[in-house]
Amino acid sequence: MFSTKESKPHAARKRLVSNVYSKSFIQSSSEAQELTRAILHERLLPSLDSFAAKGSALEVLEFNYAVTMDFASSYLFGLSNGSNFVQDVERRRSFLAWFFKRSEHFFWNQEIPRLTRLLRGIGVHLVPKWVDAANDEIQTWVLQMCRLAKQSIKPASESTEKAHGTPPVVYSQLSDSLRRSPIKPEARMDSGSVENDELPIASEMLDHVVAGMDTSGITMTYLLWEMSRDPELQTSLRKELYTLSPSLAIGNDSEVPSARSVEALPLLHAVIMETLRRHCPIPGSQPRLTPSKPTSLAGSPLLPGGVRVSAQAYSLHRNEQVFPDPEAWTPHRWLDADQDQKDEMMRWFWAFGSGGRMCVGKNFAVQELKYVTAAVYTNFTTSIVDDAGIEQADGYTAGPTGNQLTLKFARASPR
């Protein structure tokens, strides 16, 4: 879906899974609630509590990648079929090494794929051969999760394993959509038949799982950094979080508060929105093609069809007329604005894109970020140990230039 150029095929593929990414579906999903409870109370909070008890510092960028990968893969493939990177440190670091080494070489295949293939055919490798090995490792892992997900949704009479965890929500939706008849040609994937859809489904799932990891991991890292610089804001947010019922306090692990009650917290929402604005994880240009009919964009001369144009969140989020003092991280701008100002801010807010190409996982990502932030600051205070290289890199996806942020977690005083 992400690499589909033409609008109609892209829209057709997006419709295959858009239902399970809708806000109403996610907020009412018992599967999303259970995986959230399990990841927060069985993985995230015990890990942070261990560091707090020992007084040890934690490098949170890698840890946040682990948390967001666990959320994404659990929603895609089911809790027992997805990753457990929060607790499996060795597996986490192995994956991240593969992932980030290959990401340094995206340019060639993305921007000049034909030339890249042509040169490879005559022995000139613009992309090092070891990148292929890294890709193979990641693809094999995702394919394994797909197979586990497929096994877990078999009828009970056909399965030899007892069901555990949560169902593979996105995998099931995509599989079911492809099985329905008739299947429109533009919605088909590459295989041409339902029986041979294993690899196309795995390819789609790969895009979803990695997109759900690095962007949310970067966002969470900058949120923790900004919050760690403002103890008073931590206190204000904690006061708001204490209104949730049931509480997200450690030990209260049988359930989590409803998604709608978490969404309704205004300061939490402001913190998330301002982090996505000021530290957008994808500040780079988002390419689009002009439609076949000549089109004018922002007062430009008429552009013929098929012209590549782009906009970028970095620039849109720094419009001083809409976001005064745009380089400042100011969550209260979202609380103090009147409705007209909020509407204008949202018109320029582009962390997830807009229109038909808007990020399909937006609602899941925002809900995940809110729950993780709420869980952290219900239970802990955070302070900076080492933020060297915290400046965002200059790139399409932009994490800290130093690839690290080290914080100290301490148990918050009881309410």
Side-chain angles (χ1 to χ4, degrees):
M1 175 173 64
F2 299 117
S3 61
T4 303
K5 185 190 308 184
E6 293 77 15
S7 295
K8 287 185 178 180
H10 175 270
R13 292 189 181 189
K14 190 173 183 178
R15 283 194 296 271
L16 295 175
V17 294
S18 58
N19 174 58
V20 295
Y21 281 120
S22 71
K23 188 174 184 178
S24 59
F25 184 96
I26 293 170
Q27 287 190 338
S28 61
S29 167
S30 60
E31 294 86 358
Q33 284 292 99
E34 172 54 22
L35 71 86
T36 298
R37 184 207 65 78
I39 293 172
L40 294 183
H41 284 295
E42 297 175 12
R43 303 182 191 180
L44 172 72
L45 290 175
S47 295
L48 295 182
D49 202 32
S50 175
F51 279 91
K54 293 182 292 187
S56 302
L58 173 65
E59 198 289 288
V60 297
L61 178 61
E62 178 187 308
F63 186 78
N64 287 333
Y65 286 143
V67 173
T68 54
M69 175 59 86
D70 286 2
F71 266 94
S73 63
S74 294
Y75 194 60
L76 289 164
F77 303 110
L79 187 61
S80 61
N81 303 320
S83 66
N84 186 357
F85 283 178
V86 171
Q87 296 174 319
D88 191 344
V89 178
E90 182 178 354
R91 187 74 180 86
R92 172 211 310 174
R93 290 178 176 168
S94 176
F95 171 84
L96 292 176
W98 299 331
F99 180 77
F100 287 110
K101 283 182 179 179
R102 66 192 272 278
S103 65
E104 297 171 1
H105 301 276
F106 283 164
F107 172 83
W108 304 106
N109 283 319
Q110 177 177 303
E111 299 298 331
I112 47 174
R114 292 180 181 176
L115 178 60
T116 302
R117 288 195 298 270
L118 176 63
L119 292 176
R120 185 187 300 130
I122 60 174
V124 178
H125 294 272
L126 297 177
V127 179
K129 291 183 178 179
W130 57 259
V131 173
D132 293 333
N135 285 332
D136 288 344
E137 292 285 355
I138 294 172
Q139 290 165 7
T140 298
W141 177 59
V142 172
L143 187 58
Q144 289 172 345
M145 289 193 288
C146 285
R147 288 170 177 169
L148 289 171
K150 183 177 182 178
Q151 179 68 26
S152 69
I153 59 177
K154 283 186 175 182
S157 59
E158 298 181 25
S159 178
T160 58
E161 297 183 12
K162 185 178 179 180
H164 177 69
T166 61
V169 177
V170 180
Y171 180 91
S172 294
Q173 172 69 21
L174 183 56
S175 299
D176 290 346
S177 295
L178 291 174
R179 276 198 298 269
R180 295 190 188 112
S181 182
I183 300 175
K184 297 181 180 179
E186 63 266 26
R188 292 288 325 154
M189 296 185 175
D190 296 335
S191 67
S193 69
V194 174
E195 292 77 10
N196 297 321
D197 271 332
E198 181 181 66
L199 292 181
I201 289 176
S203 177
E204 187 72 25
M205 293 296 96
L206 172 61
D207 286 346
H208 289 237
V209 78
V210 298
M213 179 201 73
D214 61 342
T215 52
S216 294
I218 290 168
T219 303
M220 195 66 215
T221 298
Y222 279 108
L223 186 153
L224 291 174
W225 179 64
E226 293 284 9
M227 291 293 294
S228 297
R229 301 166 71 200
D230 194 338
E232 291 185 5
L233 184 58
Q234 292 185 43
T235 300
S236 297
L237 179 59
R238 188 170 300 108
K239 182 178 179 181
E240 181 179 84
L241 295 172
Y242 282 162
T243 66
L244 289 171
S245 180
S247 168
L248 280 166
I250 291 173
N252 189 26
D253 57 2
S254 61
E255 58 181 328
V256 293
S258 71
R260 288 182 175 84
S261 67
V262 173
E263 183 196 17
L265 299 179
L267 181 55
L268 176 62
H269 181 71
V271 166
I272 299 295
M273 292 296 289
E274 184 66 355
T275 304
L276 287 166
R277 184 202 68 82
R278 176 59 181 82
H279 301 289
C280 184
I282 300 184
S285 295
Q286 303 277 16
R288 303 288 187 265
L289 292 179
T290 57
S292 57
K293 183 179 179 180
T295 304
S296 174
L297 297 176
S300 73
L302 288 178
L303 301 173
V307 173
R308 178 168 164 168
V309 297
S310 65
Q312 55 178 269
Y314 182 92
S315 300
L316 296 172
H317 290 180
R318 283 164 175 76
N319 183 338
E320 294 183 354
Q321 303 302 314
V322 180
F323 304 106
D325 194 8
E327 294 298 329
W329 184 80
T330 312
H332 277 83
R333 74 170 79 239
W334 299 91
L335 301 174
D336 298 338
D338 61 32
Q339 190 57 52
D340 288 342
Q341 290 172 321
K342 288 180 182 178
D343 291 343
E344 186 68 358
M345 288 162 69
M346 287 306 301
R347 196 170 77 85
W348 286 81
F349 182 78
W350 223 52
F352 299 100
S354 60
R357 298 272 175 171
M358 176 182 282
C359 172
V360 71
K362 169 195 170 183
N363 297 311
F364 183 81
V366 170
Q367 181 168 304
E368 165 196 12
L369 290 168
K370 287 187 175 183
Y371 269 113
V372 173
T373 303
V376 169
Y377 286 106
T378 294
N379 295 283
F380 303 100
T381 63
T382 60
S383 57
I384 296 171
V385 175
D386 182 3
D387 64 352
I390 194 61
E391 301 82 8
Q392 274 189 281
D394 181 9
Y396 176 75
T397 303
T401 57
N403 290 315
Q404 69 89 33
L405 171 65
T406 304
L407 301 180
K408 187 173 183 179
F409 292 76
R411 274 290 196 112
S413 301
R415 68 170 90 184

